[in-house]
Amino acid sequence: MRQVPPLLLALAWLLAGFSKLYQWPDFVFAIKSFDLVPPAWAPFMAASIPFLEILLGIELCFQKHRREAAGVSMGLLAVFTAILVLALLQGKNLSCGCFGGWLDFGGLHGSIARNFVLIALGVFIIKFPHPCAK
Amino acid sequence: MSLSDFRWSRVSLWLLLSAFCGFCWMAAHVQKSSQFQARQLLSLDEFKSLLLERVFVIDARPQAFYDQGHIPGAMTLPLNSFDPVQLVGKIHPDDTIIVYCSDIACHDSHKLAERLSRSGYAHILIFSGGLEEWSSAGLPVMRNTP
């Protein structure tokens, strides 16, 4: 049972990472549309974030560095959520590009809700580590 | 688990590795997009002048991005769900089609142009600057709000 949250979070990261790489130009555009970083940085960020997500997804599949991966996941998700909330407060009607164009449900509200669920998975992984990982 | 338990070296390694892979990915794709220059690419001015004629503008990005903002008059034909049957009765094989996607680094317009060409459409042009160049020039962007 304790294996389920890490694997769910891993699946989410892997899906998010690969979909962003597959539709990289659209993720570049999504980053630019949030207007938070200089446009010149957007291609590099759009290329680096998916690789970090894929790495986290892989690490979450294994017990050795799972807690670190969960901690970094929570940090990353907190940053993503803050950006989405900010966009929402600014009245922007944007797609976060979180899963490329594959899974776009509920707009910004849906993305924020999904991030909270993923953060909760991260909390579970850190709070209830696998006995072998202690 | 406290922060002191964290293996920071591992976290740093992930960040460095991601940045390195991201840089390589970006370099590879920017190089790839520059190779497309040899094709029939349109500048913004050329694109705008062609809009005065009978042309069909196609947005190659996913539907969600099209809804978020697109060039007025453009029809959506996402690369990931491309089906030439959708165009039957709308666009004649001899019509001029202009394809665009997000920006200069975007490949979807090139891939869609290839598929359209294989589907029998003869006059296909690519507006390589995409929506970014269009909107940066202060030109209107249409949104489909739910």
Side-chain angles (χ1 to χ4, degrees), chain B residues 32-91:
Chain B
K32 218 173 173 182
S33 68
S34 64
Q35 289 169 1
F36 289 129
Q37 298 302 323
R39 294 220 195 144
Q40 286 182 293
L41 304 180
L42 299 174
S43 67
L44 179 61
D45 287 338
E46 289 168 334
F47 177 55
K48 282 198 292 184
S49 63
L50 275 172
L51 287 180
L52 303 173
E53 300 173 17
R54 182 186 153 80
V55 292
F56 291 88
V57 182
I58 293 181
D59 189 322
R61 300 171 305 148
Q63 180 76 43
F65 290 98
Y66 174 85
D67 291 341
Q68 195 179 305
H70 58 268
I71 293 173
M75 52 197 285
T76 177
L77 189 65
L79 177 71
N80 55 9
S81 59
F82 173 71
D83 181 0
V85 175
Q86 291 171 273
L87 301 177
V88 174
K90 292 180 188 167
I91 304 179

Side-chain angles (χ1 to χ4, degrees), chain A residues 1-20:
Chain A
M1 188 63 192
R2 282 183 182 173
Q3 291 287 352
V4 175
L7 292 181
L8 279 178
L9 192 54
L11 186 69
W13 279 137
L14 290 172
L15 193 61
F18 282 114
S19 64
K20 282 179 186 134

Side-chain angles (χ1 to χ4, degrees), chain A residues 3-133:
Chain A
Q3 291 287 352
V4 175
L7 292 181
L8 279 178
L9 192 54
L11 186 69
W13 279 137
L14 290 172
L15 193 61
F18 282 114
S19 64
K20 282 179 186 134
L21 284 182
Y22 182 71
Q23 294 177 339
W24 180 64
D26 291 319
F27 187 48
V28 174
F29 185 72
I31 289 182
K32 284 180 182 174
S33 63
F34 279 95
D35 210 16
L36 285 170
V37 292
W41 293 13
F44 175 67
M45 291 192 70
S48 302
I49 290 170
F51 280 106
L52 181 59
E53 292 175 345
I54 291 168
L55 267 175
L56 290 173
I58 293 169
E59 292 285 6
L60 280 163
C61 292
F62 302 100
Q63 283 167 22
K64 197 173 178 191
H65 301 291
R66 188 171 277 170
R67 287 189 300 174
E68 282 79 7
V72 175
S73 298
M74 286 164 60
L76 198 59
L77 285 163
V79 171
F80 287 165
T81 309
I83 291 170
L84 295 178
V85 169
L86 196 65
L88 202 63
L89 292 176
Q90 289 172 342
K92 291 179 179 171
N93 181 20
L94 300 170
S95 164
C96 69
C98 308
F99 289 90
W102 294 352
L103 287 174
D104 197 33
F105 47 87
L108 288 180
H109 290 95
S111 302
I112 291 166
R114 184 194 53 224
N115 283 0
F116 276 115
V117 171
L118 295 175
I119 289 172
L121 290 178
V123 172
F124 183 91
I125 296 165
I126 290 179
K127 205 84 178 156
F128 305 103
H130 193 277
C132 303

